[in-house]
Coordinates of all heavy atoms in Angstrom, one line a residue:
Chain A
R1331 N 12.1 -31.1 -36.6 CA 11.4 -32.3 -36.0 C 10.0 -32.0 -35.5 O 9.5 -32.7 -34.6 CB 12.3 -32.9 -34.9 CG 13.6 -33.2 -35.3 CD 14.4 -33.9 -34.2 NE 15.8 -34.3 -34.6 CZ 16.7 -35.0 -33.9 NH1 16.3 -35.2 -32.7 NH2 17.8 -35.2 -34.3
F1334 N 4.7 -26.7 -34.1 CA 3.6 -26.9 -33.2 C 2.8 -25.5 -33.1 O 3.4 -24.5 -33.0 CB 4.1 -27.3 -31.8 CG 4.9 -28.6 -31.8 CD1 6.2 -28.5 -32.1 CD2 4.3 -29.7 -31.5 CE1 7.0 -29.7 -32.1 CE2 5.0 -30.9 -31.5 CZ 6.4 -30.9 -31.7
Y1336 N 0.0 -23.7 -30.6 CA -0.7 -23.7 -29.3 C -1.6 -22.4 -29.2 O -1.3 -21.4 -29.8 CB 0.3 -23.7 -28.2 CG 1.1 -24.9 -28.0 CD1 2.4 -25.0 -28.7 CD2 0.7 -25.9 -27.1 CE1 3.1 -26.2 -28.5 CE2 1.5 -27.0 -27.0 CZ 2.7 -27.2 -27.6 OH 3.5 -28.3 -27.5
Q1338 N -3.1 -19.9 -26.2 CA -2.9 -19.6 -24.8 C -3.9 -18.5 -24.4 O -3.9 -17.4 -25.0 CB -1.5 -19.1 -24.5 CG -1.2 -19.0 -23.1 CD 0.2 -18.6 -22.7 OE1 1.0 -18.1 -23.5 NE2 0.6 -18.9 -21.5
G1341 N -3.3 -15.8 -18.4 CA -3.2 -16.5 -17.1 C -3.2 -18.0 -17.2 O -3.4 -18.7 -16.2
K1342 N -3.2 -18.6 -18.4 CA -3.3 -20.1 -18.5 C -2.1 -20.6 -19.3 O -1.4 -19.9 -19.9 CB -4.6 -20.5 -19.1 CG -5.8 -19.9 -18.5 CD -6.8 -21.0 -18.2 CE -8.0 -20.4 -17.5 NZ -9.3 -20.7 -18.1
G1343 N -1.9 -22.0 -19.2 CA -0.9 -22.6 -20.0 C -1.3 -22.8 -21.4 O -2.5 -22.7 -21.7
P1344 N -0.3 -23.0 -22.3 CA -0.7 -23.2 -23.7 C -1.5 -24.5 -23.9 O -1.2 -25.5 -23.3 CB 0.6 -23.3 -24.4 CG 1.6 -22.7 -23.5 CD 1.1 -23.0 -22.1
F1346 N -2.5 -27.4 -26.6 CA -2.0 -27.9 -27.9 C -3.1 -27.9 -28.9 O -4.2 -28.3 -28.7 CB -1.5 -29.4 -27.6 CG -1.2 -30.1 -28.8 CD1 0.0 -29.9 -29.4 CD2 -2.1 -31.1 -29.4 CE1 0.4 -30.6 -30.6 CE2 -1.7 -31.7 -30.6 CZ -0.4 -31.5 -31.1
T1349 N 0.3 -30.4 -34.6 CA 1.7 -30.7 -35.0 C 1.8 -30.9 -36.4 O 1.0 -31.7 -37.0 CB 2.2 -31.9 -34.2 OG1 1.9 -31.8 -32.8 CG2 3.8 -32.1 -34.4
Y1351 N 4.8 -31.9 -39.5 CA 6.1 -32.4 -39.5 C 6.8 -32.2 -40.9 O 8.0 -32.1 -40.9 CB 6.1 -34.0 -39.3 CG 5.8 -34.3 -37.8 CD1 4.6 -34.8 -37.4 CD2 6.8 -34.1 -36.9 CE1 4.3 -35.1 -36.1 CE2 6.5 -34.4 -35.4 CZ 5.3 -34.9 -35.2 OH 5.0 -35.2 -33.8
L1387 N 0.5 -19.3 -30.3 CA 1.9 -19.5 -30.2 C 2.3 -20.6 -31.2 O 1.7 -21.6 -31.3 CB 2.3 -20.0 -28.8 CG 2.0 -19.0 -27.7 CD1 2.3 -19.7 -26.3 CD2 3.0 -17.8 -27.8
R1391 N 10.6 -27.5 -33.2 CA 11.6 -28.4 -32.5 C 12.7 -28.7 -33.5 O 12.4 -29.2 -34.6 CB 11.0 -29.7 -32.0 CG 12.0 -30.4 -31.2 CD 11.3 -31.6 -30.5 NE 12.3 -32.4 -29.8 CZ 12.3 -32.6 -28.5 NH1 11.3 -32.2 -27.8 NH2 13.2 -33.3 -27.9
K1395 N 15.1 -29.1 -28.4 CA 14.1 -28.5 -27.6 C 13.1 -27.6 -28.5 O 13.4 -27.3 -29.6 CB 14.8 -27.6 -26.5 CG 15.6 -26.4 -27.1 CD 16.3 -25.7 -25.9 CE 17.1 -24.5 -26.6 NZ 17.8 -23.8 -25.5
L1396 N 12.1 -27.2 -27.8 CA 11.1 -26.4 -28.5 C 11.6 -24.9 -28.4 O 11.9 -24.5 -27.4 CB 9.7 -26.5 -27.9 CG 8.8 -27.6 -28.2 CD1 7.5 -27.5 -27.4 CD2 8.6 -27.8 -29.6
F1398 N 10.0 -21.2 -29.0 CA 8.7 -20.5 -29.2 C 8.9 -19.2 -29.9 O 9.8 -18.5 -29.6 CB 8.0 -20.4 -27.8 CG 7.3 -21.6 -27.3 CD1 8.0 -22.5 -26.6 CD2 5.9 -21.8 -27.6 CE1 7.4 -23.7 -26.2 CE2 5.3 -22.9 -27.1 CZ 6.0 -23.9 -26.4
G1399 N 7.9 -18.8 -30.6 CA 7.7 -17.5 -31.1 C 7.1 -16.6 -29.9 O 6.6 -17.2 -29.0
T1400 N 6.9 -15.4 -30.2 CA 6.3 -14.5 -29.2 C 4.8 -14.4 -29.3 O 4.2 -13.8 -28.4 CB 6.9 -13.1 -29.3 OG1 6.7 -12.6 -30.6 CG2 8.3 -13.0 -28.9
Chain B
F1230 N 9.2 -30.6 -18.6 CA 9.9 -29.4 -18.9 C 9.4 -28.3 -18.0 O 8.2 -28.3 -17.7 CB 9.7 -29.0 -20.4 CG 10.0 -30.0 -21.4 CD1 9.2 -31.1 -21.7 CD2 11.3 -30.1 -22.0 CE1 9.4 -32.0 -22.6 CE2 11.6 -31.1 -22.9 CZ 10.7 -32.0 -23.2
Y1232 N 9.1 -24.1 -17.8 CA 9.2 -22.8 -18.5 C 8.9 -21.7 -17.6 O 8.2 -21.7 -16.6 CB 8.3 -22.8 -19.7 CG 8.5 -23.8 -20.8 CD1 8.1 -25.1 -20.8 CD2 9.2 -23.4 -22.0 CE1 8.3 -26.0 -21.8 CE2 9.5 -24.3 -23.1 CZ 9.0 -25.5 -22.9 OH 9.3 -26.4 -24.0
Q1234 N 7.5 -17.5 -18.1 CA 6.9 -16.6 -19.1 C 6.7 -15.3 -18.4 O 6.0 -15.2 -17.4 CB 5.6 -17.1 -19.7 CG 5.1 -16.3 -20.8 CD 3.8 -16.9 -21.4 OE1 3.1 -17.5 -20.6 NE2 3.6 -16.7 -22.6
S1239 N 7.3 -14.6 -24.7 CA 7.1 -16.0 -25.0 C 7.6 -16.9 -23.9 O 8.2 -16.4 -22.9 CB 7.8 -16.4 -26.3 OG 7.5 -17.6 -26.8
L1240 N 7.4 -18.2 -24.0 CA 7.9 -19.1 -23.0 C 9.4 -19.4 -23.2 O 9.9 -19.5 -24.3 CB 7.2 -20.5 -23.3 CG 5.8 -20.6 -22.7 CD1 4.8 -19.9 -23.6 CD2 5.4 -22.1 -22.6
L1242 N 12.4 -21.8 -22.0 CA 12.7 -23.0 -21.3 C 13.8 -22.9 -20.2 O 14.8 -22.2 -20.4 CB 13.2 -24.1 -22.4 CG 13.6 -25.5 -21.8 CD1 12.3 -26.2 -21.3 CD2 14.2 -26.3 -22.9
E1255 N 19.0 -25.0 -18.8 CA 19.3 -24.1 -20.0 C 20.4 -23.1 -19.5 O 20.5 -22.8 -18.2 CB 18.2 -23.3 -20.5 CG 17.1 -24.2 -21.2 CD 17.7 -25.0 -22.3 OE1 18.2 -24.3 -23.2 OE2 17.7 -26.2 -22.3
F1287 N 5.5 -16.1 -14.2 CA 4.5 -17.2 -14.5 C 5.3 -18.4 -14.8 O 6.0 -18.4 -15.9 CB 3.6 -16.8 -15.7 CG 2.4 -17.7 -15.9 CD1 1.5 -18.0 -14.8 CD2 2.0 -18.1 -17.1 CE1 0.4 -18.7 -15.0 CE2 0.9 -18.8 -17.3 CZ 0.1 -19.2 -16.2
I1289 N 5.4 -22.4 -15.9 CA 4.6 -23.4 -16.6 C 5.4 -24.7 -16.8 O 6.6 -24.6 -17.3 CB 4.1 -22.8 -18.0 CG1 3.5 -21.5 -18.0 CG2 3.1 -23.8 -18.6 CD1 3.2 -20.9 -19.3
E1296 N 7.2 -38.6 -28.7 CA 8.6 -38.1 -28.8 C 8.7 -36.6 -28.8 O 9.6 -36.0 -28.2 CB 9.3 -38.7 -30.0 CG 10.8 -38.4 -30.0 CD 11.5 -39.2 -31.1 OE1 10.8 -39.9 -31.9 OE2 12.7 -39.0 -31.2
Y1297 N 7.9 -36.0 -29.7 CA 8.1 -34.5 -29.8 C 6.8 -33.7 -29.3 O 7.0 -32.5 -29.2 CB 8.2 -34.2 -31.3 CG 9.4 -35.0 -31.9 CD1 9.3 -35.6 -33.1 CD2 10.6 -34.9 -31.3 CE1 10.3 -36.3 -33.6 CE2 11.6 -35.5 -31.8 CZ 11.5 -36.2 -33.0 OH 12.6 -36.9 -33.5
E1298 N 5.7 -34.2 -28.9 CA 4.6 -33.5 -28.5 C 4.7 -33.1 -27.0 O 5.0 -34.1 -26.1 CB 3.3 -34.2 -28.8 CG 3.0 -34.3 -30.3 CD 1.7 -35.0 -30.6 OE1 1.0 -35.3 -29.7 OE2 1.4 -35.1 -31.8
Q1299 N 4.4 -31.9 -26.7 CA 4.4 -31.5 -25.2 C 3.0 -31.0 -24.8 O 2.4 -30.3 -25.7 CB 5.4 -30.4 -25.0 CG 6.8 -30.9 -25.1 CD 7.8 -29.7 -24.8 OE1 7.5 -28.9 -24.0 NE2 9.0 -29.8 -25.3
Y1300 N 2.6 -31.3 -23.7 CA 1.3 -30.9 -23.2 C 1.5 -30.1 -21.9 O 2.2 -30.5 -21.0 CB 0.3 -32.1 -22.8 CG 0.0 -32.9 -24.1 CD1 0.9 -33.9 -24.5 CD2 -1.0 -32.5 -24.9 CE1 0.7 -34.6 -25.7 CE2 -1.3 -33.2 -26.1 CZ -0.4 -34.3 -26.5 OH -0.7 -35.0 -27.6
F1301 N 0.9 -28.9 -21.9 CA 1.2 -27.9 -20.9 C 0.3 -27.9 -19.7 O -0.9 -28.1 -19.8 CB 1.4 -26.5 -21.5 CG 2.5 -26.3 -22.3 CD1 2.6 -26.7 -23.6 CD2 3.7 -25.7 -21.8 CE1 3.7 -26.6 -24.4 CE2 4.9 -25.5 -22.6 CZ 4.9 -26.0 -23.9
G1302 N 0.8 -27.6 -18.6 CA 0.0 -27.4 -17.4 C -0.6 -26.0 -17.4 O -0.3 -25.2 -18.2
P1303 N -1.5 -25.6 -16.5 CA -2.2 -24.4 -16.5 C -1.3 -23.2 -16.0 O -1.7 -22.1 -16.1 CB -3.4 -24.6 -15.5 CG -2.9 -25.7 -14.6 CD -2.0 -26.5 -15.5
G1304 N -0.2 -23.5 -15.4 CA 0.7 -22.4 -15.0 C 0.6 -22.1 -13.5 O -0.5 -22.3 -12.9

Side-chain angles (χ1 to χ4, degrees):
Chain A
R1331 296 184 181 185
F1334 304 83
Y1336 291 88
Q1338 186 175 25
K1342 304 229 176 132
F1346 173 77
T1349 309
Y1351 289 105
L1387 297 171
R1391 182 170 181 123
K1395 63 184 180 183
L1396 282 182
F1398 280 86
T1400 52
Chain B
F1230 307 83
Y1232 292 83
Q1234 187 177 35
S1239 192
L1240 283 76
L1242 180 65
E1255 293 299 302
F1287 192 51
I1289 309 173
E1296 185 175 3
Y1297 301 129
E1298 292 182 359
Q1299 292 183 25
Y1300 297 89
F1301 287 81

